[in-house]
């Protein structure tokens, strides 16, 4: 079907050179039937969680200052933040020369290797996850921390096998997901046996109520405590054992 283009003034066919000039236009329905349809929308990518690579924390003081420690993407692994470590080692003093230290739930090694960096005589890092224990051993070798020893063991089993009063300072920082399991309280009880009177233990908790409950009793006095975000932490001092009534 063809259409004639009319002159807009007269409605008659437009003439050019004495003859009616005819402009033929294709039928719109014919155009529509041959126009390509809209492209189908591209399929949306699957809703995947981004894969997180390993993180890094740095030692903040001592001879190993600015050294990097790998933080593997493992459930419950939560290195002690820089701000908290800075406060803790201000409480402890910058020089830990001669101290025997135990990091019961070592994880990334941020606490135990910070102590090694500040002159601790010995540091036992206990971590039952084989992958994390391997990363800790690699870090100790890379940093030349000869006084640090990694033990791929369960923390409470390791503590039970150590002699009484074996340490001067114990770090206790299990995953917060285990807070309701009694693990923190059990680790603190183990630390009480491993420290002499006057020895110190560091403890982290997800809230102030738990921190107070775990440190109540005759074994400890709270030397210092503070909070940073969701982390409640305290430096405890081992009290002398109460005399047994005769």
């Amino acid at each position: 079907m063809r259409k004639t283009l009319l002159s807009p003034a007269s409605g008659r066919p437009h003439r050019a050179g004495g003859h009616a000039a005819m402009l033929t236009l294709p039928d719109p329905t014919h155009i529509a039937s041959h126009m390509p349809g809209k492209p189908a929308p591209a399929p949306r990518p699957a809703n995947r969680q981004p894969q997180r690579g390993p993180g890094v924390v740095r030692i903040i003081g001592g001879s190993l200052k600015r050294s990097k420690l790998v933080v593997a993407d493992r459930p419950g692994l939560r290195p002690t933040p820089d701000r908290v470590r800075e406060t803790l080692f201000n409480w402890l003093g910058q020089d830990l020369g001669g101290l025997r230290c135990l990091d019961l739930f070592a994880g990334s090694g941020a606490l135990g290797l910070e102590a090694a960096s500040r002159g601790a005589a010995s540091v036992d890092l206990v971590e039952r996850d084989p992958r994390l224990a391997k990363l800790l051993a690699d870090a100790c070798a890379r940093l030349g921390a000869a006084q640090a020893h990694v033990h791929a063991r369960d923390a409470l089993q390791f503590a039970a096998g150590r002699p009484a009063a074996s340490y001067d300072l114990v770090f206790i920082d299990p995953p917060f997901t285990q807070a309701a399991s009694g693990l923190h309280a059990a680790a603190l009880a183990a630390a009480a046996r491993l420290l002499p009177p006057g020895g110190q233990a560091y403890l982290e908790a997800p809230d102030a109520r738990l921190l107070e409950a775990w440190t109540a009793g005759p074994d400890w006095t709270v030397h210092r405590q503070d909070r940073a975000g969701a982390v409640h932490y305290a430096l405890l001092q081992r009290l002398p054992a109460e005399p047994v009534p005769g």
Side-chain angles (χ1 to χ4, degrees):
M1 175 180 179
R2 296 179 181 275
K3 291 188 178 180
T4 304
L5 182 65
L6 301 180
S7 170
S10 63
R12 298 177 180 177
H14 180 71
R15 296 180 179 275
H19 300 280
M22 306 291 290
L23 179 62
T24 59
L25 297 175
D27 186 342
T29 59
H30 180 74
I31 295 176
S33 65
H34 286 79
M35 286 182 66
K38 293 182 180 180
R44 294 183 178 182
N47 184 19
R48 296 177 180 173
Q49 294 293 329
Q51 294 184 353
R52 292 182 294 168
V56 170
V57 294
R58 294 178 185 269
I59 295 175
I60 59 176
S63 62
L64 302 176
K65 185 176 181 179
R66 299 189 183 89
S67 297
K68 295 179 181 179
L69 301 174
V70 174
V71 181
D73 186 7
R74 306 295 274 181
L77 183 59
R78 177 193 48 79
T80 300
D82 289 3
R83 174 184 164 189
V84 175
R85 278 184 287 135
E86 183 175 6
T87 300
L88 169 62
F89 285 94
N90 284 337
W91 292 345
L92 290 168
Q94 300 301 319
D95 182 5
L96 303 187
L99 294 188
R100 302 164 299 167
C101 300
L102 172 61
D103 192 350
L104 266 181
F105 303 87
S108 67
L111 290 172
L113 289 174
E114 192 79 56
S117 179
R118 296 166 190 265
S122 65
V123 181
D124 284 324
L125 300 112
V126 184
E127 175 53 59
R128 70 176 182 178
D129 185 313
R131 180 186 173 192
L132 296 182
K134 175 65 166 57
L135 289 174
L136 283 171
D138 291 346
C140 292
R142 173 172 51 85
L143 299 175
Q147 76 274 49
H149 307 280
V150 178
H151 306 271
R153 298 272 308 279
D154 175 82
L156 296 183
Q157 291 178 0
F158 177 85
R162 301 295 293 165
S166 296
Y167 299 97
D168 304 297
L169 174 62
V170 178
F171 300 106
I172 302 172
D173 181 22
F176 282 174
T177 53
Q178 306 255 352
S181 70
L183 181 59
H184 292 71
L188 200 57
R193 189 184 69 83
L194 295 176
L195 291 168
Q200 294 178 301
Y202 169 74
L203 179 67
E204 290 187 14
D207 63 59
R209 177 185 55 84
L210 284 173
L211 187 63
E212 182 178 0
W214 292 337
T215 56
D219 292 332
W220 305 101
T221 183
V222 177
H223 177 58
R224 301 290 295 271
Q225 71 180 79
D226 206 342
R227 174 187 177 183
V231 180
H232 296 254
Y233 57 102
L235 182 63
L236 313 175
Q237 191 164 35
R238 179 72 166 92
L239 292 173
E242 292 186 347
V244 179

